[in-house]
Amino acid sequence: MTIALDTTGEIRKRVSARHRLRYLARTWLGLHRLSLLLLTPMLAVAGVVHVWGMSTYPRWVDDPGTYLSQAWSVQYEGALSPYSYFYDHTPAGWLQMALWSILTNGFNRYDSAIDFGNECMLIAKLFSCALLFALGRRIGLTRAGSAAAVLLLALSPVAVTYTRWTFLDNLVTPWLLLAFVLAYSPRRTIGAAMGAAAAFALAALTKETALVTLPAFAYAMAQNLDRRNRPQVIVMAAFTGILLMSLYPLFAIYKGELFPGQGHNSLLETASWQLAGRQPSGSVLDPDSPARDLLTSWLGLDQRLLIGALAALPVALVVRRLRPAAVILVVQWLLLIRGGYVPYMHVITLLPWSALMIAGAAEQIGGAVRWLVGRGRHLPQLAAGACAVALAAVWAPALSTMMTAREAPPLRSATEWVADNVPRNKVLVVHDAIWTDLVHYKGFSPRPIIAYKLDTDPAVARTLRRIDYLVVPNWYYDSPDAKRYPTLLEARKHAIAEITFGTGDNGVRIYRVSGFWQPRRSS
């Protein structure tokens, strides 16, 4: 009898819990049904624009292949890199991609690793758009204003280009937006603060450059503190964030690689190189600097989102809830001015905040006009919506080109030619974008060597005996950074061109190294 009563009580608890969950779900849907009705078509637009043409535009660049090869290594080798991991970036980004591949058989659902990377970037883009909408609502934007911010992020040509590339920064964006969404939780609970700190820590563990937004994040947290639990929130949030971020140096300590030493990589040594040892890009204020060239390339894709956000900054600084986002933009632009190293994908860190600035400023201007004329209840929403629609119309021709590009990237064509014409036992030096394809899909053994590893990985230098083929873009040989690849340049002197795909610097000329070639071994 006692057992039967206990069982009945357990069933009642489960039924009660199920009813409670249903009640909470119905309540949440009832409160947010209008937002969901508006957000759903926005996400559909963002998804269609992102997906349509992403396999052929933009061209393949360096870093995506590196991150995908590292994600592949996590899944199939249980290692952080197919080469020696030298702490070039925090590893959570490619760990996330590896986890998604493990759960969904990701690498085996495509013919190219780049296509799997495209899928990961699509997921990150959709989450970023949804979280940007939520953040807009939490900082006081109307539904129309939040939707306008989503459209600006979804449709800007510079955003479409850079969010299609498999960059860690695209995985940072949803974590960082989630951190701000939770920081502005209306309930102001300890749990929300801890969640915000955890999301920020995961952003930093995805790519360490997220740390430059820490002052803005702390400012947002401070804006939303409740006097009744302020000390507890500060302590628990700080503890959560520090605990998670400490996992990275603890990993290095466990490996015996925190400090520099003979015969092993070092976290601190690499961090010092990242901060002070890389070739400076100069300031965007210098017309002859690489940073200025990089900015020019961004503005060549679209200047309206980036310059419009700068124009909106004075308005945003007046609005209390917009100030943390404005601080992020100010800090990111100052990094372009200071004269240090500027990553190629730095613009990604500007995109969501620029969209938020423009939508927020448009609403504020519309509200000011409404106040002056004493009428026009919906002027703020109309101003934000009109701004987004006008920019979308201007961007339409560029988007059409990006969505209808049909020519296969030269590196993809080169991969197919190599698979069809080169014996599997040849030693290839290749661009990192095709390394995983040749290893995982095409079965080359010995494994191809990623070009920049020839002279940067001691293990490669020790074991290298010959090179049979070179498969890298033309710019490797002619760029100002060519001196970074002395072994590659020496190999080309002994090579014969076989076939060329594409034109210009981004074209790929496949070389067959003539006969047996013994490279000069590094000391």
Side-chain angles (χ1 to χ4, degrees), residues 59-63 65-66 411 429-434 449-455 470-490 492 504-509 511:
R59 63 184 176 88
W60 291 8
V61 293
D62 287 10
D63 288 18
T66 297
L411 279 166
V429 174
V430 304
H431 187 268
D432 53 357
I434 65 175
I449 302 168
I450 295 177
Y452 68 84
K453 292 293 184 179
L454 278 173
D455 296 290
L470 306 177
V471 192
V472 297
N474 297 336
W475 66 260
Y476 262 80
Y477 308 107
D478 303 321
S479 72
D481 294 331
K483 60 183 179 181
R484 295 165 49 194
Y485 315 109
T487 304
L488 181 71
L489 297 179
E490 183 68 20
R492 192 178 69 154
D505 289 343
N506 295 316
V508 180
R509 183 174 291 115
Y511 289 95

Side-chain angles (χ1 to χ4, degrees), residues 21-298:
L21 287 174
R22 288 176 181 173
Y23 170 76
L24 291 175
R26 285 197 301 267
T27 302
W28 188 88
L29 289 172
L31 289 173
H32 300 286
R33 64 183 184 278
L34 293 178
S35 293
L36 291 173
L37 288 172
L38 185 58
L39 177 60
T40 300
M42 297 299 103
L43 293 180
V45 170
V48 168
V49 172
H50 187 97
V51 169
W52 202 337
M54 70 179 180
S55 63
T56 50
Y57 180 93
R59 63 184 176 88
W60 291 8
V61 293
D62 287 10
D63 288 18
T66 297
Y67 305 139
L68 287 164
S69 70
Q70 290 168 322
W72 179 89
S73 184
V74 169
Q75 179 175 355
Y76 292 98
E77 299 180 320
L80 290 177
S81 172
Y83 294 91
S84 174
Y85 174 57
F86 68 102
Y87 302 92
D88 50 336
H89 290 299
T90 47
W94 60 87
L95 285 174
Q96 293 169 54
M97 291 192 289
L99 178 61
W100 180 244
S101 178
I102 292 169
L103 294 174
T104 66
N105 195 28
F107 279 109
N108 292 322
R109 287 188 286 108
Y110 294 99
D111 296 328
S112 171
I114 294 294
D115 292 333
F116 171 66
N118 290 343
E119 177 185 300
C120 294
M121 295 306 101
L122 170 63
I123 295 170
K125 178 71 167 287
L126 293 178
F127 271 107
S128 296
C129 288
L131 289 166
L132 184 63
F133 183 92
L135 180 58
R137 295 293 290 144
R138 289 200 167 178
I139 64 175
L141 270 63
T142 65
R143 291 186 181 88
S146 300
V150 171
L151 280 179
L152 293 175
L153 178 61
L155 300 181
S156 169
V158 68
V160 171
T161 300
Y162 277 82
T163 58
R164 282 180 175 180
W165 272 316
T166 306
F167 288 140
L168 297 180
D169 308 70
N170 287 322
L171 298 174
V172 168
T173 302
W175 287 115
L176 199 55
L177 288 171
L178 177 61
F180 278 81
V181 168
L182 294 173
Y184 281 116
S185 170
R187 295 188 177 185
R188 303 180 180 183
T189 62
I190 294 175
M194 292 175 66
F200 185 86
L202 286 169
L205 290 173
T206 299
K207 192 173 184 181
E208 64 284 350
T209 52
L211 288 171
V212 300
T213 64
L214 181 58
F217 173 68
Y219 185 20
M221 292 281 288
Q223 283 188 344
N224 205 42
L225 286 175
D226 191 319
R227 290 184 179 181
R228 294 170 294 179
N229 64 356
R230 181 165 53 194
Q232 294 90 339
V233 165
I234 293 173
V235 170
M236 295 304 296
F239 175 78
T240 301
I242 292 172
L243 179 65
L244 280 176
M245 284 190 282
S246 67
L247 294 176
Y248 188 48
L250 285 174
F251 171 77
I253 292 172
Y254 171 76
K255 296 273 290 183
E257 296 177 342
L258 180 63
F259 299 103
Q262 187 69 28
H264 68 78
N265 296 315
S266 163
L267 170 58
L268 294 180
E269 185 176 27
T270 302
S272 175
W273 169 73
Q274 292 274 31
L275 292 172
R278 305 192 71 165
Q279 183 69 28
S281 303
S283 170
V284 294
L285 302 179
D286 178 4
D288 298 320
S289 67
R292 183 64 167 269
D293 293 338
L294 192 55
L295 177 62
T296 301
S297 70
W298 300 340

Side-chain angles (χ1 to χ4, degrees), residues 430-471:
V430 304
H431 187 268
D432 53 357
I434 65 175
W435 185 91
T436 306
D437 290 0
L438 293 173
V439 172
H440 184 74
Y441 303 102
K442 308 303 183 184
F444 275 82
S445 181
R447 291 180 180 178
I449 302 168
I450 295 177
Y452 68 84
K453 292 293 184 179
L454 278 173
D455 296 290
T456 59
D457 193 316
V460 173
R462 285 195 302 269
T463 59
L464 184 65
R465 293 295 177 269
R466 76 178 197 272
I467 295 174
D468 296 313
Y469 284 86
L470 306 177
V471 192

